[in-house]
Amino acid sequence: MEMNVRCGVTAISPRAIQRIAEKNYKDGYYCCEALMATLRDELKLDVPEAVIAMASGMSVGIGKAGCTCGALNGGVLALGMLFGRTEQDGPKNPKSIRTMELTRELHDWFRENNGKKVACCRILTREFNMGQGEHKEQCIYFTGLCTWKVCQMICRECGITNLDEIDEPQPRRKIEEV
């Protein structure tokens, strides 16, 4: 599938990009911003920094509302930016159809692989104190997890070489290890 924006790489390590996204979160971005900044930089996407700003309001379950996980929101934004349509031509547009399939794949995969079987930030974080300890560790992990999956999908859809020998997301680690 052809991308909407120019990608400046022909091979990537989704696992390495996962770790960079986790570090970007740890260093001060929210989940959605970290994912978008990481993909923009590591895939050498020909898009302005404004895509990071665009992601700011999607973090912490959409403006701290606790709705859809911000990392998942970032993945949806990234897939739309890369593969979505810009034409007003109804629901039969192949780009629209494929982007819907990709974002549904990401959503369903995230629900099955986050350990809690939900996409709702409020439920994912309910037993934690906001922004501290285990909450932050989990959100860093989810950011990396979604970044990893989006990179996997980009490799598959665009014929970009996946440099990872093991095709699985990296397990959750302590903040100090990120």
Side-chain angles (χ1 to χ4, degrees):
M1 181 173 205
E2 191 171 321
M3 296 172 85
N4 287 331
V5 298
R6 190 180 61 77
C7 181
V9 298
T10 57
I12 61 171
S13 165
R15 185 175 305 272
I17 294 173
Q18 174 184 0
R19 288 190 298 267
I20 293 165
E22 291 170 346
K23 184 175 182 325
N24 280 337
Y25 186 115
K26 184 180 177 190
D27 288 349
Y29 276 135
Y30 281 123
C31 43
C32 193
E33 297 164 327
L35 183 144
M36 292 299 285
T38 302
L39 292 180
R40 178 187 177 273
D41 294 347
E42 298 306 312
L43 299 180
K44 299 180 181 7
L45 298 177
D46 186 22
V47 295
E49 277 189 322
V51 300
I52 302 165
M54 174 185 73
S56 293
M58 299 301 287
S59 299
V60 196
I62 307 173
K64 296 187 177 181
C67 292
T68 305
C69 170
L72 178 57
N73 284 331
V76 170
L77 287 174
L79 291 170
M81 175 181 68
L82 295 171
F83 303 114
R85 68 175 172 173
T86 56
E87 304 84 16
Q88 298 175 333
D89 57 358
K92 294 187 181 194
N93 178 300
K95 283 186 173 185
S96 177
I97 292 167
R98 188 64 184 141
T99 301
M100 293 286 191
E101 293 169 351
L102 292 171
T103 55
R104 178 63 181 261
E105 175 187 343
L106 177 64
H107 172 272
D108 293 351
W109 183 90
F110 178 73
R111 284 183 52 138
E112 287 302 311
N113 288 278
N114 66 27
K116 297 185 180 183
K117 307 262 188 238
V118 297
C120 174
C121 178
R122 188 177 304 110
I123 295 171
L124 290 168
T125 61
R126 73 174 154 210
E127 74 265 26
F128 304 128
N129 291 328
M130 184 62 114
Q132 298 176 15
E134 288 184 28
H135 173 261
K136 189 169 183 180
E137 285 179 19
Q138 176 180 268
C139 292
I140 288 170
Y141 175 67
F142 289 164
T143 299
L145 189 70
C146 282
T147 304
W148 176 84
K149 180 61 176 172
V150 170
C151 285
Q152 290 277 313
M153 295 169 78
I154 292 168
C155 286
R156 180 188 75 212
E157 295 296 313
C158 298
I160 293 173
T161 302
N162 180 337
L163 299 173
D164 294 342
E165 291 180 23
I166 299 173
D167 202 24
E168 299 175 0
Q170 196 167 38
R172 190 168 160 188
R173 302 174 314 278
K174 295 278 185 200
I175 291 176
E176 298 81 37
E177 298 173 26
V178 173

